[in-house]
Amino acid sequence: MNLHRAGVVFLALFAAVFTAALDRTVWAQSTGAVWTMPEIGALPRDAQGMLVREGRDLITATYAYVGPNVADPAKRYAGNNLACTNCHLNAGTKKFGIPLFGLYGDFPQYSARSGTEISMEDRINSCMTRSLNGRAMQVDAPEMRAIVAYIDFLSTGVSPGERLPGLGVGKMPELPRAADPERGKPVYASKCVACHNTDGSGIARSSGAPQLGYMMPPIWGAGSYNDGAGMARLTNFANFVHFNMPHGADYLDPRLSDEEAWDVAAYVLSQPRPQYPGLSRDFPDLLLKPVDAPYGPYADGFSEQQHKYGPFGPIRAAIEKLKQEKAAGAK
């Protein structure tokens, strides 16, 4: 091997190792110190260590413990056979894959959706009733305690008030136009159908046995999340797709263009899914309602169609004007 080629190979190997390290390590913004993901396998096998492991199992195989087909009817909290890790990728450890690390100290916090202060348990139940299309879990249920313990574990070494990079779904530029389901349809056919099926039903681990969970989750239809879930909002879903899909993509290596991600997200969200009861009670202060909430009522004069697909700039401007008018009237 000549020196030039050896140098190229070395640089390629270094880049691969460095990229892998980036995926395992998070830099704490406030201090500049390095924070690394805690290793669950290093926990002692005492009561707390086993509780954390059980929490991780609940995240990765939710359907097996609290799904609609488990043997004990009292444990059937989830209304579908999805797993938490279908949205919180890699058991909640992937950057911009809606990770769960570093969040424990953020609660209790104010929720604009409920108009109240919520606990970590409340937030978990929001996922249980919306993303898993089920019912709330008791705060003192063993499963709830295990999930909370796992999220607490993923915040090991994070200082109060410290916010780690990589949270949420990332943020790509918005389109100046509405996202278009028709433009997204061929993107879905070429990039998504192999994993999620032509009817959005995903791929079950065992054919005809959805109670065993999915290799690839359903993204619309009866087995998917309902219309009150965070993933039913275009901004959340489009960014999640851009930074994580198709399989193998991440924030360092997106496989879809911005336009493709917005449009294919619009196509998926144009499809039928379960309905969450009482959506009209969400966001009691309508001025705090996200601009992409796909259901009314709204404080502004824009249609549900524009709130669902955009463009969102005019809506933001209208909301800001209403907030200023409200503030001026309060003086």
Side-chain angles (χ1 to χ4, degrees):
M1 182 183 293
N2 61 39
L3 289 176
H4 174 73
R5 185 173 180 185
V8 170
V9 170
F10 172 78
L11 288 173
L13 288 171
F14 176 80
V17 171
F18 183 68
T19 298
L22 281 175
D23 199 43
R24 292 192 300 269
T25 306
V26 179
W27 284 264
Q29 291 176 318
S30 61
T31 65
V34 174
W35 179 87
T36 55
M37 199 77 65
E39 172 52 58
I40 194 168
L43 285 173
R45 293 190 174 273
D46 56 13
Q48 184 62 24
M50 298 309 291
L51 186 66
V52 171
R53 289 179 173 90
E54 183 180 346
R56 186 185 188 280
D57 290 345
L58 277 154
I59 295 295
T60 58
T62 318
Y63 51 86
Y65 298 93
V66 296
N69 303 109
V70 297
D72 184 354
K75 300 291 187 183
R76 296 172 186 170
Y77 295 110
N80 57 36
N81 285 295
L82 294 177
C84 299
T85 196
N86 293 143
C87 291
H88 303 283
L89 300 180
N90 295 357
T93 66
K94 185 180 181 184
K95 294 180 186 177
F96 301 117
I98 322 183
L100 301 173
F101 53 65
L103 297 179
Y104 185 78
D106 290 351
F107 292 86
Q109 65 177 227
Y110 178 76
S111 166
R113 186 158 65 184
S114 68
T116 61
E117 187 175 79
I118 64 170
S119 64
M120 172 67 74
E121 291 84 356
D122 293 327
R123 185 63 188 87
I124 291 168
N125 271 332
S126 181
C127 286
M128 194 63 62
T129 58
R130 295 172 186 255
S131 299
L132 294 173
N133 195 36
R135 61 186 178 90
M137 190 183 296
Q138 291 96 329
V139 172
D140 60 350
E143 295 81 9
M144 177 67 83
R145 290 192 297 106
I147 292 173
V148 171
Y150 177 64
I151 295 173
D152 185 12
F153 167 73
L154 290 182
S155 295
T156 301
V158 179
S159 302
E162 190 170 33
R163 188 165 180 83
L164 299 178
L167 296 176
V169 292
K171 188 174 182 180
M172 62 177 168
E174 290 185 0
L175 297 179
R177 60 168 174 84
D180 188 344
E182 285 304 309
R183 291 190 189 193
K185 187 174 182 179
V187 180
Y188 183 86
S190 63
K191 306 289 188 179
C192 314
V193 74
C195 289
H196 297 289
N197 252 327
T198 55
D199 60 355
S201 60
I203 301 174
R205 291 186 181 278
S206 180
S207 180
Q211 70 272 18
L212 299 177
Y214 295 92
M215 290 293 293
M216 300 296 171
I219 50 178
W220 73 77
S224 188
Y225 54 87
N226 65 42
D227 59 355
M231 279 294 200
R233 288 174 44 200
L234 182 68
T235 299
N236 287 341
F237 191 65
N239 278 288
F240 180 85
V241 166
H242 181 67
F243 291 107
N244 295 287
M245 301 292 153
H247 184 67
D250 63 24
Y251 72 104
L252 294 170
D253 183 26
R255 307 290 175 83
L256 298 177
S257 69
D258 294 356
E259 285 205 355
E260 287 176 323
W262 284 109
D263 289 336
V264 77
Y267 173 71
V268 170
L269 294 183
S270 72
Q271 305 301 318
R273 64 185 60 260
Q275 295 183 321
Y276 181 79
L279 285 177
S280 62
R281 295 192 293 271
D282 281 0
F283 302 99
D285 184 347
L286 294 179
L287 292 179
L288 299 180
K289 195 167 190 174
V291 294
D292 63 339
Y295 52 87
Y298 304 110
D300 53 77
F302 291 89
S303 67
E304 189 168 278
Q305 179 83 358
Q306 184 160 345
H307 277 277
K308 186 168 184 176
Y309 299 120
F312 301 119
I315 303 177
R316 286 197 182 89
I319 291 293
E320 185 58 33
K321 182 178 179 182
L322 289 170
K323 286 180 178 179
Q324 292 173 0
E325 291 173 353
K326 182 180 178 180
K331 292 180 180 178

